[in-house]
Amino acid sequence: MNKKMKGPAAYAAGENKRPLLVSLRYYRGFYLMFLPVLIFALVFHYIPMLGIRYAFYSYKGIKEPVFIGLAHFEKMLNMPGFWSAFGNTITLSIVKLLLNTIMAVVLSLMLNELRSVTFKKIAQTIVYLPHFMSWVVTASVFALILSPTSAGLLNAVLSKFGIVNEGIYFLGSQSWWRPMFYVINVWKDTGWGTIIFIATLSGINPELYEAASMDGAGRFNRLRFITMPALNNTIITVLILNLAKVMNLFESVFVLQNDAVSRQADVLQTYIYTQTFNSGALPDYGYSTAVGLVSSLVGCFLVLVCNKASYKVRGRGIV
Amino acid sequence: MRVKKMLAAGMAVTMAASVALSGCSSSAKSGAEATSAGSNTESSSSAGESKAESEVKKPEKITIMVNGTVMTKQNNRDAFEKRWEELTGIDLEITQPDHDAYFDVLGQTFASGPENWPDAIILAGSFYTGYAEEGALWDMTQAWENSELKSSGRFTGEDVVDNMKIDGKLYGFPVTRGNGCVTYVKKKWLDNCGLSVPTTYDEYLNMLKAFTEGDPDGNGINGDTYGLSAAGFIGSEEPWTNYLPEFYQDAYPSFAKGEDGVWYDGFTKDNFKDALQRMRDAYAAGYIDKETLTNGTKDCRNKFYEDKFGVFTYWAGTWGSNLKNNLESNGHDSELIPIKPIKEVGNYVERTSPVWAITSSCENPEGVFKYLIESMLDGGDMEMLWSYGVEDVHWSKKAETVLDKTYNEGQFHLRESLEIPGTQYTKQHLDPMLAIATWEGDPGKDSVKEEAKNSQTVFNENCRQATITPSTEEMATYNGDLMTLKKSIIADVVVQGTSIEEAFKRFESDGGSKWSQMIVDSMNKKESAK
């Protein structure tokens, strides 16, 4: 005679009609531990989301909000500033993300090749440091380095070698601003980005390398056939996770942009800032919320597309 | 599959909760709104009845929200509060967010409902007109008209108060003038170049040329200095032309009211194109700092202290003294001449004053006006407190040495700053140099440094007040984009060398002309509806 199974085991066997409650009771210890996180997420992430409704209202923070339907979205779609900011957000974020990831992988591989542990640690510490500088400080430092006057280090070097006669205004030039933005971002974030790749590299079984060497594989082939396949999953995971943040680009642009490059630099978050604080009138928080909502939806869409692509390519996603 | 069902159910519950909570929040707000409207009506009617000062009931408690211009915690605000309460017998509750976050916190406080609004707040610029037009501020016109201060014969700032009226009504009281920027020139540089103080644009330009191409600092090297620097080619707030008045002259990049009472957008006028041309030429010639576009005000000040340039349009008054001190401490000649506006400029522009406003949810606005705002200019203990602080905390008459200066018994002097040790206080919330009421007994008038007094006098005698710009729906909707476009066009022309015609074609094609016209129309419509 079969003994009647209980709990999740019974659910697995298809005998239990109330799996959720049983499961909750069975794993109550885990759920109890999860509770603070759940409460935190609800209070600080989900309840504030109720503010999304203001995207459909005209609301200046004093009088009662007035429902205006999709008027903010209609205005948004008709404003060249919004489209320019939207395009810049996508371009700057994606290029920055790709450059940072590629540079982080390259740097990780280089650090991984270092044989002296002391030197490796020193090198790692040095490349991590820029990450801890605030963007305001970073912008000030680079404003000095890139100054068009004789005080600018880069222009002084270029001038010394006769490459330029007159200093280039890198941060005030429409053609130079974006390359400089990418360089500064790479300088600041590449080191930090290597942590996860170095962790993955250190987890690769050394025997694989030994075996490959015995089979006659050189350094390049070991990299191609052992290291890179091992890193692929991490690279895709990092890319997808960072894609969720591409629409949040703000601080780095805000501190580096200026009036001359607004068409190249203005992103959605700085656009929201301008709309809120630069209108010469009380801002309509409804419009800023509408722009923010579109930005979040696009970010969400990008993650889902990337996850889907991951399914297609690798047979599994990460979300 | 089951997980997906659970997820769907969870999302449905979340959405339902969201709608329900929105409803709750909405109805709660409606209640608050009703309260606000009620108190607003009550306040208006009481203002309309024009209570005599003697009938004004003394409040038991006053709540205020202020920015960093009022004494901060680090400067012993507790002592200030205690003294204020001693003088009035009223409980004072001060909320003081970080200076930079003030308007954010104020906005959040207003959004949280009238029951949380303080009795009085400090407002400036567009926030003043915006809050007034949203009905958040009490109309203090009658209270002011019936005030003892107005009839005291001491009040000299009638024009400043009138300038703050919106449709003839006063919603905020300016306790000082707004102040503005005056052009400082290094005297030694002028002397070294054999020049006198410029009085016309040609002379001004000639001076910049000499400062850029010659050897004004006398270090034996020609061309290692430049004429002037500024934090941007256009200011970050009204009046936008503050830092480069000699180039803008009569042109204005934003909305202004003509003598005929009609609003227009100065950016679209021909004289603005002339101003752009002047700036472009001077920038291309190297007279203007190459980094003007990316400069902050601190960058400019530092370069001025390092003797890199010789002409600096900056705040009148106390800053006149600060600039001199910093030049001195950097070992440079520190004599500065605050010049009168050149002929083409006519007058410097004085920004609109920050104001003290009473919120429409205040239960006893007349009492708050009399005991908090009007009393600040009483020419006695209260004005002393708001101008210099608390005796033996912020100022003293005891014999003592403050930093490197020794004072005798009975000699009024300000003490070392608690917030910035190594510096001496110059004033507190009220700057006596910007006073709008005479104060015979001002003990600090002799302690004001000559250079500060001098620059303030030059400015006060040669300025006109900026007019407050009304807030309209069109302004709120389009002006953010419009200003971004205007700033971008100015930078394009001056720094990138784009032709003026091409730049204005872009203004047209990017919607600037359309937005500008819509805003101008809305302002004139409002004007004609008065």
Side-chain angles (χ1 to χ4, degrees), chain B residues 322-375:
Chain B
N322 292 344
L323 294 177
K324 179 181 160 60
N325 293 343
N326 280 291
L327 278 167
E328 248 165 36
S329 56
N330 272 19
H332 300 298
D333 190 276
S334 62
E335 195 172 348
L336 297 174
I337 306 173
I339 65 169
K340 287 182 182 174
I342 58 170
K343 191 177 133 204
E344 290 83 353
V345 172
N347 285 300
Y348 292 120
V349 182
E350 179 167 33
R351 66 173 175 175
T352 52
S353 313
V355 293
W356 278 85
I358 297 171
T359 60
S360 54
S361 68
C362 175
E363 287 175 3
N364 179 8
E366 291 91 352
V368 172
F369 181 82
K370 179 177 177 176
Y371 290 96
L372 175 76
I373 300 176
E374 189 187 347
S375 73

Side-chain angles (χ1 to χ4, degrees), chain A residues 11 19-20 46 50 53-54 59-65 75 79-82 143 147-149 151 166 169 171-174 258-260 262-263 266 271 274-275 277-282 285, chain B residues 2 6 18 21-22 25-26 29-30 33 104 110-111 117 126-127 130-131 134 136 234 283 290-291 293-294 471 473 475-481 483-484 487-488 491-492 495-496 506 510 515:
Chain A
Y11 171 54
L20 182 63
Y46 284 88
L50 298 177
R53 70 184 188 279
Y54 289 125
Y59 181 48
K60 293 184 179 175
I62 296 171
K63 287 181 183 166
E64 190 72 3
K75 177 199 163 188
M79 296 307 264
F82 168 77
S147 167
T149 66
E166 201 181 337
Y169 199 172
L171 293 178
S173 156
Q174 289 170 356
N258 56 68
D259 294 342
S262 54
R263 277 184 291 175
D266 205 18
Y271 178 73
T274 310
Q275 293 293 322
F277 297 108
N278 202 13
S279 69
L282 277 192
Y285 297 114
Chain B
R2 198 174 285 268
M6 281 169 60
S18 154
L21 283 168
S22 305
S25 157
S26 179
K29 202 77 202 288
S30 303
E33 185 71 14
D104 286 353
F110 271 82
W117 294 1
S126 60
F127 287 97
Y131 277 64
E134 287 288 301
I234 177 170
Y283 185 79
K290 287 284 175 208
E291 290 179 293
L293 198 59
T294 42
S471 179
E473 271 308 309
M475 174 86 85
T477 308
Y478 298 109
N479 204 37
D481 287 281
M483 274 321 290
T484 306
K487 288 178 175 183
S488 163
D492 270 2
V495 180
Q496 313 286 336
R506 189 183 144 214
D510 282 7
W515 302 330

Side-chain angles (χ1 to χ4, degrees), chain B residues 68 78 120 162 178 218 227 235 246 258 262 328 384 390 402 410 474 479 484 507:
Chain B
D78 292 342
D162 285 345
E246 288 81 8
V262 177
E328 248 165 36
M384 185 75 191
V390 180
V402 179
E474 285 75 6
N479 204 37
T484 306
F507 185 67

Side-chain angles (χ1 to χ4, degrees), chain A residues 37-308:
Chain A
V37 179
L38 179 68
I39 292 170
F40 182 90
L42 282 174
V43 171
F44 293 104
H45 294 286
Y46 284 88
I47 293 177
M49 270 204 253
L50 298 177
I52 288 171
R53 70 184 188 279
Y54 289 125
F56 307 97
Y57 287 81
S58 175
Y59 181 48
K60 293 184 179 175
I62 296 171
K63 287 181 183 166
E64 190 72 3
V66 179
F67 183 76
I68 54 165
L70 297 172
H72 285 317
F73 296 93
E74 197 183 326
K75 177 199 163 188
M76 188 194 307
L77 299 179
N78 287 315
M79 296 307 264
F82 168 77
W83 287 113
S84 162
F86 185 82
N88 288 340
T89 309
I90 300 285
T91 311
L92 290 174
S93 297
I94 303 282
V95 175
K96 177 174 93 88
L97 176 61
L98 292 175
L99 280 176
N100 281 2
T101 309
I102 291 167
M103 292 306 290
V105 170
V106 171
L107 191 62
S108 305
L109 293 172
M110 288 165 75
L111 286 169
N112 196 47
E113 293 296 315
L114 293 175
R115 292 290 160 253
S116 160
V117 177
T118 314
F119 183 68
K120 189 175 176 178
K121 281 184 178 172
I122 292 170
Q124 279 178 295
T125 307
I126 289 170
V127 296
Y128 294 162
L129 278 179
H131 174 79
F132 297 101
M133 278 173 80
S134 80
W135 268 110
V136 177
V137 176
T138 306
S140 305
V141 170
F142 274 92
L144 266 177
I145 294 171
L146 302 173
S147 167
T149 66
S150 55
L153 179 69
L154 185 54
N155 272 310
V157 172
L158 293 175
S159 175
K160 182 111 181 156
F161 287 103
I163 299 170
V164 295
N165 293 324
E166 201 181 337
I168 300 170
Y169 199 172
F170 291 104
L171 293 178
S173 156
Q174 289 170 356
S175 47
W176 278 106
W177 189 87
R178 278 189 182 176
M180 289 302 120
F181 175 79
Y182 298 136
V183 167
I184 295 168
N185 270 279
V186 164
W187 175 82
K188 192 171 186 307
D189 288 334
T190 298
W192 188 250
T194 60
I195 292 178
I196 198 160
F197 296 121
I198 288 177
T200 307
L201 288 171
S202 61
I204 300 173
N205 188 351
E207 287 174 4
L208 291 173
Y209 289 109
E210 283 167 23
S213 296
M214 287 167 70
D215 288 344
R219 184 171 275 197
F220 178 74
N221 279 332
R222 288 203 299 271
L223 177 75
R224 187 178 163 199
F225 294 109
I226 300 172
T227 311
M228 286 314 292
L231 270 182
N232 275 348
N233 281 344
T234 311
I235 292 171
I236 289 174
T237 306
V238 166
L239 269 175
I240 294 176
L241 286 176
N242 284 335
L243 257 184
K245 295 186 278 185
V246 296
M247 303 306 283
N248 294 339
L249 193 62
F250 174 69
E251 211 180 347
S252 53
V253 174
F254 185 70
V255 294
L256 288 167
Q257 73 170 173
N258 56 68
D259 294 342
V261 296
S262 54
R263 277 184 291 175
Q264 288 71 32
D266 205 18
V267 290
L268 283 175
Q269 301 295 334
T270 53
Y271 178 73
I272 290 172
Y273 180 90
T274 310
Q275 293 293 322
T276 310
F277 297 108
N278 202 13
S279 69
L282 277 192
D284 191 333
Y285 297 114
Y287 184 64
S288 330
T289 310
V291 178
L293 179 59
V294 168
S295 169
S296 302
L297 289 174
V298 172
C300 195
F301 174 76
L302 283 175
V303 171
L304 292 176
V305 166
C306 220
N307 195 47
K308 195 85 181 165

Side-chain angles (χ1 to χ4, degrees), chain B residues 184-205:
Chain B
Y184 296 94
V185 178
K186 287 178 178 168
K187 184 171 182 301
K188 187 189 163 195
W189 284 36
L190 274 180
D191 293 343
N192 286 348
C193 295
L195 296 169
S196 53
V197 170
T199 55
T200 63
Y201 184 67
D202 285 343
E203 289 173 14
Y204 177 80
L205 212 55

Side-chain angles (χ1 to χ4, degrees), chain B residues 459-523:
Chain B
F459 179 80
N460 288 353
E461 288 174 356
N462 297 282
C463 73
R464 64 178 167 81
Q465 288 183 57
T467 46
I468 51 171
T469 314
S471 179
T472 64
E473 271 308 309
E474 285 75 6
M475 174 86 85
T477 308
Y478 298 109
N479 204 37
D481 287 281
L482 184 61
M483 274 321 290
T484 306
L485 180 58
K486 286 176 177 178
K487 288 178 175 183
S488 163
I489 282 173
I490 292 171
D492 270 2
V493 172
V494 179
V495 180
Q496 313 286 336
T498 308
S499 77
I500 292 174
E501 290 69 32
E502 209 177 306
F504 275 82
K505 266 184 205 160
R506 189 183 144 214
F507 185 67
E508 184 78 35
S509 64
D510 282 7
S513 298
K514 192 176 83 181
W515 302 330
S516 166
Q517 195 55 52
M518 285 165 81
I519 295 172
V520 166
D521 289 347
S522 70
M523 292 166 95

